[in-house]
Amino acid sequence: MAAPSSSASVNIMLAVYEKKTVTVDLYRPLRNYIVINYSEREAQNLDDDLETLKQLRSEIERGSSDSLPARRDLLQNYFKALCAVESRFPISPDKDHINSVTFTWYDAFKTRQKAAQQNIHLEKAAVLFNLGASHSQIALSFDRSSVDGRRQASHSFIAAAGAFAFLRDNVAMKASMGSSTTVDVSVECAGMLERLMLAQAQECVFENTIAKGSSPGVCSKISRQVGIFYEEALAALNVAPLNQHFEKSWLAHVQLKAALFYAEACYRYGLELHEKEEIAEEIARLKSGINALSEAKRTAPRGAAQQLLDAINKLEVSLNQNLDRAMKENDRVYLMRVPPASSLSPLPAFSMVKPLSMNEVLDASKGKMFASLVPDNSAKSLSRYTEMVDDVIRTQAEKLQQGSELARVRLKEMDLPDSILALEGNITLPTALKEEVEAVQICGGPAGLEAELQQLKDLSRVNQELLVQTEELLQKEATEDAQFRSQFGTRWTRPQSSTLTKNLQDRLNRYAANLKQAAESDARIERSVRDHAALMSILDRRPIESALPSLARPIMSLDANEDAIVGVLKQSLRQLESLGAQRAGLEDMLKEMKRKDDILPKLMTSTGSHEDLFRKEIGKYDNICEEIAKNLQAQEQLLMQIQAQNDDFAAIFNLEDYKASREKMYKQIEAAIAKYREIKDNINEGLKFYVTLQDAITNIKQQCSDFVMTRNIQCREMVDDVQRQISGLSFKDNKNSGSYNYPPGGQHHTPRSTSQPTDPANSTNAVRLQTPAYQPPQQPTVPGYVQNPPPYGAPQQPPPYHLQASGPPYPPPQQQQQQPQPSHDYGQPAYPGWRGPYYNAPQQQQQPGSMPPPPYTIPSQYPPPSQSGYYRQQ
């Protein structure tokens, strides 16, 4: 691989020298104008502003003796001051104007040529030119051998381009209209300098890109844009009025730089092609770069810097080395045909710079200089004229918008350009339908439903396992209680486990029933996925447009004029598109004309009728209004022509059948989306159901664990008491308190105690458990449940997971309607928010004494934990 090219080492760039001027007195003529047209007192009030203007002009005349940044700031401040002067002081040869001020400026490139005008436009143009020149000099003052220096230089070149662009767009035309003018402030010269500054700014970016070690493809794009900017500047230098105005060294520099960076782009692009093993195109690109350098060296004028010539020679050597290597590899290995240079596509380019907008930098609207010098009548007249202009702009803008909307509707009615695109294979879905398909595909599409069905199965299995574990806890405790009851007989006086756990068992049974019903719902979803797999499979097509029918050419044709009909229809559509682009340009022109339409100086100095002035000024918009009318008329005629051509097109290509099949496919896609969303919603509801039910089962499992732990503690205490009774160690005064009498229905038991009750009525309050009374742990808030766990025997009703304004998901049985509404419960109906066909299983007739269908509301036989005899004496 050849060494990297050395164009990055070329640091020769161009700066622009400032224009020179002669002394001019602004203070006395402007003050006299204020005294004559306003008053001496007004002149005294504005004396500070006049002194400031005089000082700024004096510093401008001294040239660039200050630092470059200070010079730049001075030029910006003076330009804003000139804007304030322009809107208040009419400077012209007119006898009623300020006719004693003449601005004189010398050409920056032909210093013997000068221009002298009695208007402020030349002064503003010269100041803008010098502002761009100062930015270019600041750019060259940075150390461009470092990355940071090149970045700063690039920013300054961008600012210089912005200044020259502002000159070209806003002032150059006015400055060139005088009897005396210079080429350097012309529109052509300002445009050329803007391109040159952008080229040098992009060149700094290219040098930093090389320094960072970017890929050859990136370097090629940036280098090509440098060459394009230089080529645009060179094109302007080669035509009048610039072709005889600049030194040959400038022309040689720009021409060689344009060729250098074109060849550099070919060199970098060739490196990328070599990595891709596209040897044939690499050879063609390298030859193109070599030819460009040879042609530039042959035709460029003398006077270019030797450093630039050395860089060209070095790059040419690198290009030849890579070309020799590529040709040898092609002859020995690839044997590919080298395409001619004329068949190569343009090299890709990427611009990293654009002119800095000077509108904000040079905005004088916020300045206070001469702010008090606007007469009221002029301000009111200006407001009235502005309203007239706004009315013209608004009327014409409405016409343009109506024309665009008419074209859009007519094309939509004719199904254009969609039918043409369909014939070429560029079929597209309607935007709204395509977005829906993309949303489905982002969610995984029908192919992803299997994984979600597996999640349902996994959650169902987890809930079933939790339920079995909970039931095993209660069963184990009941078995142990039965063993002790068999062992001790009548001495084992505590209630049986089945009596105390009836409410828990009922809830577990309800959860089991819910899981069974949910499993049936899952099976219905799975069947639906299988049944509609063929319908939904279209949503997995990528791209989705591949599923749409194509518009085919007729199998047989009598006159074989299909291509001609399609061609003329395409041509008409292109013409219609051009008319639309023209309308957009006309609207922008209207806005730009309004932005630049400043008649304040004329209003302030006008001695005649303002109505006459308004009619004259508003006439500036007549030409563009005529252009708008012509555009709309041409569009109407073109639409009629397109209608006739489209009728022929539709007849030959059987467009109606194609539309019918396309609409059928649209409906199929919509149906697939609707079915997918229905199944997706069902699965999501199932997932939420299982997650919520898992929380409920986990909660009741914790309650069962707490119950079992409490029973175990009581069991140990009772075993000790029974064993002491058997051994004769019981005390006579404790035989009443030593037995465990568990009243059914949740009466609190009295733990044994060594203290004597003082009162039979209060004996239950006089004793305490030796083991601390168990209190259920606080449960975290879970969606669908209240903060505290419900009592074992509290009335139960599951809250629906999806609250509907229409009522609960299942109609409550008749026998439940008379019961009070409980506050909470952990029993969950299977998929309580289901509204689809899969989870609405037919309700079976309830048998007498059987469990009512969900939601369950069963009155409790036991008091809540706060009243239970297991935990606290009453």
Side-chain angles (χ1 to χ4, degrees):
M1 182 67 66
S5 171
S6 63
S7 64
S9 64
V10 179
N11 227 355
I12 300 299
M13 294 185 181
L14 298 177
V16 182
Y17 290 109
E18 289 188 18
K19 293 167 65 66
K20 303 299 181 182
T21 186
V22 297
T23 302
V24 61
D25 178 25
L26 293 177
Y27 178 87
R28 184 57 53 188
L30 266 59
R31 193 180 192 286
N32 290 339
Y33 179 84
I34 298 173
V35 172
I36 295 172
N37 291 274
Y38 297 93
S39 65
E40 176 64 31
R41 182 175 180 180
E42 188 71 27
Q44 293 176 0
N45 293 336
L46 295 174
D47 194 66
D48 290 341
D49 290 343
L50 292 170
E51 285 290 346
T52 300
L53 181 65
K54 177 182 176 180
Q55 181 66 28
L56 289 173
R57 187 56 164 81
S58 176
E59 292 176 2
I60 291 291
E61 294 166 1
R62 286 202 300 267
S64 55
S65 58
D66 299 330
S67 66
L68 289 174
R71 182 71 178 175
R72 174 201 61 200
D73 296 340
L74 170 65
L75 290 166
Q76 290 177 176
N77 292 333
Y78 182 56
F79 182 84
K80 288 187 281 189
L82 289 177
C83 292
V85 170
E86 181 183 17
S87 61
R88 293 164 176 84
F89 300 96
I91 301 176
S92 75
D94 195 304
K95 64 178 182 179
D96 295 327
H97 294 177
I98 302 175
N99 52 20
S100 60
V101 173
T102 301
F103 297 105
T104 303
W105 287 89
Y106 290 90
D107 193 291
F109 305 103
K110 298 244 182 227
T111 55
R112 294 184 179 181
Q113 297 181 7
K114 67 178 180 178
Q117 295 184 16
Q118 286 180 291
N119 63 61
I120 204 168
H121 302 309
L122 176 63
E123 183 83 348
K124 291 176 66 178
V127 172
L128 284 174
F129 183 95
N130 285 354
L131 178 60
S134 66
H135 278 295
S136 70
Q137 295 169 23
I138 291 173
L140 289 191
S141 69
F142 290 112
D143 179 16
R144 284 173 287 119
S145 63
S146 65
V147 172
D148 189 60
R150 287 190 292 266
R151 182 168 55 251
Q152 292 175 319
S154 178
H155 291 166
S156 293
F157 280 130
I158 289 172
F164 289 123
F166 192 88
L167 168 62
R168 177 197 63 200
D169 297 336
N170 298 279
V171 186
M173 184 63 70
K174 298 176 182 178
S176 301
M177 292 174 63
S179 57
S180 175
T181 184
T182 53
V183 175
D184 56 351
V185 293
S186 65
V187 172
E188 294 81 4
C189 186
M192 184 277 295
L193 292 175
E194 178 213 13
R195 296 289 100 182
L196 177 62
M197 295 299 110
L198 288 178
Q200 298 186 148
Q202 181 92 357
E203 185 176 348
C204 292
V205 174
F206 172 73
E207 293 173 359
N208 276 347
T209 305
I210 295 296
K212 291 191 300 183
S214 299
S215 65
V218 173
C219 295
S220 172
K221 292 178 181 178
I222 297 177
S223 175
R224 182 64 193 112
Q225 187 60 50
V226 177
I228 290 174
F229 284 140
Y230 275 118
E231 289 168 7
E232 292 172 348
L234 179 63
L237 285 170
N238 283 327
V239 297
L242 305 183
N243 54 348
Q244 301 297 326
H245 196 73
F246 284 84
E247 297 179 357
K248 297 297 182 182
S249 60
W250 270 63
L251 188 62
H253 177 89
V254 174
Q255 183 175 352
L256 291 177
K257 277 292 186 79
L260 173 66
F261 281 96
Y262 172 77
E264 181 73 36
C266 292
Y267 173 80
R268 301 286 171 180
Y269 196 65
L271 296 178
E272 185 179 46
L273 292 172
H274 193 82
E275 294 175 358
K276 299 178 180 178
E277 298 186 357
E278 298 179 9
I279 303 301
E281 185 178 353
E282 178 191 4
I283 294 173
R285 295 292 183 184
L286 293 174
K287 287 183 178 179
S288 178
I290 293 172
N291 293 337
L293 291 180
S294 300
E295 181 67 17
K297 290 194 297 183
R298 185 180 64 83
T299 60
R302 297 180 180 276
Q306 186 60 42
Q307 188 176 356
L308 178 57
L309 295 174
D310 293 342
I312 289 177
N313 293 331
K314 185 176 181 181
L315 177 59
E316 192 172 14
V317 171
S318 299
L319 286 167
N320 282 312
Q321 290 177 351
N322 284 9
L323 177 61
D324 293 341
R325 178 203 60 198
M327 294 182 66
K328 290 178 181 178
E329 292 180 0
N330 190 42
D331 293 340
R332 297 174 182 175
V333 180
Y334 299 101
L335 303 177
M336 299 174 67
R337 186 180 67 84
V338 178
S342 59
S343 66
L344 296 176
S345 61
L347 284 171
F350 186 75
S351 177
M352 300 291 290
V353 297
K354 64 178 181 179
L356 177 66
S357 175
M358 288 290 175
N359 292 326
E360 184 176 352
V361 176
L362 301 177
D363 183 16
S365 61
K366 298 180 181 179
K368 297 183 179 180
M369 182 174 286
F370 306 118
S372 62
L373 208 58
V374 179
D376 291 341
N377 61 338
S378 297
K380 292 178 181 178
S381 298
L382 178 62
S383 177
R384 185 163 179 271
Y385 174 76
T386 302
E387 291 177 359
M388 296 172 62
V389 173
D390 288 341
D391 184 63
V392 172
I393 300 295
R394 182 168 52 253
T395 301
Q396 299 302 318
E398 289 176 356
K399 290 181 179 180
L400 292 171
Q401 293 173 0
Q402 290 172 1
S404 299
E405 182 64 15
L406 175 63
R408 186 190 68 80
V409 172
R410 294 280 294 276
L411 289 178
K412 184 68 175 178
E413 293 173 351
M414 293 183 283
D415 201 31
L416 291 174
D418 292 345
S419 57
I420 297 293
L421 295 176
L423 182 63
E424 297 173 347
N426 299 324
I427 310 172
T428 58
L429 280 176
T431 303
L433 186 58
K434 184 174 179 64
E435 290 176 353
E436 291 182 0
V437 173
E438 290 175 349
V440 169
Q441 292 178 345
I442 289 174
C443 294
L449 294 178
E450 292 295 334
E452 298 188 12
L453 289 175
Q454 185 60 43
Q455 291 181 13
L456 284 179
K457 294 178 182 179
D458 293 342
L459 286 173
S460 177
R461 176 182 51 78
V462 170
N463 278 282
Q464 191 67 42
E465 291 174 356
L466 283 173
L467 199 62
V468 170
Q469 294 169 7
T470 305
E471 291 175 345
E472 288 177 351
L473 282 174
L474 298 180
Q475 183 62 36
K476 180 180 179 182
E477 193 279 330
T479 301
E480 293 175 353
D481 181 71
Q483 290 175 353
F484 283 113
R485 191 175 305 281
S486 174
Q487 177 180 352
F488 295 112
T490 58
R491 290 187 180 89
W492 194 258
T493 60
R494 71 171 184 171
Q496 295 183 3
S497 296
S498 59
T499 304
L500 299 177
T501 60
K502 182 178 184 303
N503 180 261
L504 294 175
Q505 289 289 356
D506 290 344
R507 290 160 64 191
L508 292 175
N509 291 337
R510 290 199 298 273
Y511 295 159
N514 291 341
L515 280 175
K516 181 179 178 181
Q517 183 179 348
E520 296 173 356
S521 300
D522 295 344
R524 283 192 290 273
I525 292 181
E526 192 169 358
R527 285 196 301 272
S528 180
V529 171
R530 291 196 303 269
D531 294 344
H532 298 92
L535 172 65
M536 295 188 296
S537 62
I538 193 173
L539 300 178
D540 286 325
R541 299 279 291 271
R542 295 175 186 269
I544 187 63
E545 288 80 5
S546 62
L548 297 178
S550 59
L551 180 60
R553 293 178 176 272
I555 299 175
M556 298 182 62
S557 177
L558 298 178
D559 49 7
N561 62 344
E562 298 90 348
D563 292 338
I565 291 176
V566 173
V568 295
L569 183 56
K570 285 184 179 179
Q571 179 64 27
S572 297
L573 290 175
R574 284 193 289 269
Q575 293 176 8
L576 187 65
E577 185 177 358
S578 298
L579 289 176
Q582 183 183 1
R583 284 196 300 276
L586 290 172
E587 187 172 4
D588 291 340
M589 287 176 60
L590 278 172
K591 295 178 181 178
E592 185 68 13
M593 287 182 65
K594 180 182 181 301
R595 187 181 69 83
K596 295 181 178 181
D597 192 3
D598 182 13
I599 65 167
L600 181 60
K602 297 179 181 179
L603 285 174
M604 295 173 62
T605 58
S606 175
T607 57
S609 171
H610 283 176
E611 294 297 329
D612 295 337
L613 178 62
F614 289 165
R615 281 193 295 270
K616 179 181 177 181
E617 292 296 322
I618 208 71
K620 294 181 295 188
Y621 297 89
D622 291 343
N623 290 335
I624 193 169
C625 292
E626 293 177 2
E627 291 293 328
I628 292 173
K630 291 179 181 179
N631 179 282
L632 296 177
Q633 184 178 3
Q635 176 180 273
E636 184 61 30
Q637 296 176 354
L638 186 58
L639 285 173
M640 295 174 61
Q641 177 181 328
I642 291 174
Q643 179 69 61
Q645 294 170 351
N646 188 64
D647 291 342
D648 296 339
F649 174 80
I652 291 179
F653 287 90
N654 199 8
L655 196 58
E656 292 302 323
D657 290 348
Y658 165 72
K659 290 181 181 179
S661 60
R662 185 186 61 185
E663 290 301 322
K664 180 180 178 181
M665 185 57 65
Y666 287 169
K667 293 185 181 301
Q668 182 179 343
I669 294 175
E670 291 172 353
I673 292 173
K675 181 55 64 177
Y676 172 82
R677 287 178 173 172
E678 177 186 337
I679 294 176
K680 182 75 171 178
D681 291 343
N682 295 348
I683 292 176
N684 289 339
E685 188 174 359
L687 292 174
K688 288 188 287 185
F689 164 77
Y690 280 125
V691 170
T692 309
L693 183 61
Q694 182 177 344
D695 293 340
I697 296 177
T698 302
N699 188 286
I700 195 174
K701 181 181 178 183
Q702 181 62 44
Q703 293 183 28
C704 291
S705 299
D706 297 342
F707 171 78
V708 170
M709 180 184 69
T710 303
R711 291 278 287 179
N712 288 338
I713 294 173
Q714 295 168 350
C715 179
R716 289 195 297 271
E717 293 178 354
M718 192 169 186
V719 167
D720 292 343
D721 285 348
V722 171
Q723 287 177 348
R724 280 194 292 270
Q725 289 177 11
I726 295 174
S727 303
L729 298 178
S730 298
F731 293 99
K732 181 178 180 181
D733 55 5
N734 287 336
K735 69 180 180 179
N736 292 330
S737 62
S739 62
Y740 285 79
N741 294 322
Y742 293 87
Q747 295 295 329
H748 296 275
H749 75 284
T750 304
R752 63 184 179 84
S753 174
T754 57
S755 61
Q756 293 290 338
T758 59
D759 190 292
N762 298 327
S763 60
T764 57
N765 294 324
V767 291
R768 295 290 184 270
L769 277 171
Q770 295 178 357
T771 304
Y774 168 75
Q775 298 293 336
Q778 294 293 330
Q779 299 294 333
T781 303
V782 180
Y785 308 106
V786 294
Q787 177 82 14
N788 298 321
Y792 292 150
Q796 305 292 324
Q797 170 139 354
Y801 299 132
H802 301 280
L803 297 179
Q804 301 287 343
S806 59
Y810 297 93
Q814 294 298 323
Q815 61 268 30
Q816 291 180 223
Q817 295 179 359
Q818 303 301 325
Q819 297 175 358
Q821 179 70 19
S823 60
H824 51 268
D825 186 25
Y826 297 97
Q828 303 297 328
Y831 292 56
W834 177 254
R835 291 294 182 274
Y838 305 114
Y839 286 81
N840 282 337
Q843 300 292 332
Q844 298 179 0
Q845 186 67 27
Q846 181 177 343
Q847 300 297 327
S850 63
M851 187 65 64
Y856 303 99
T857 307
I858 303 176
S860 173
Q861 299 180 5
Y862 305 98
S866 60
Q867 302 173 5
S868 173
Y870 301 124
Y871 310 114
R872 190 176 64 185
Q873 285 288 348
Q874 294 295 325

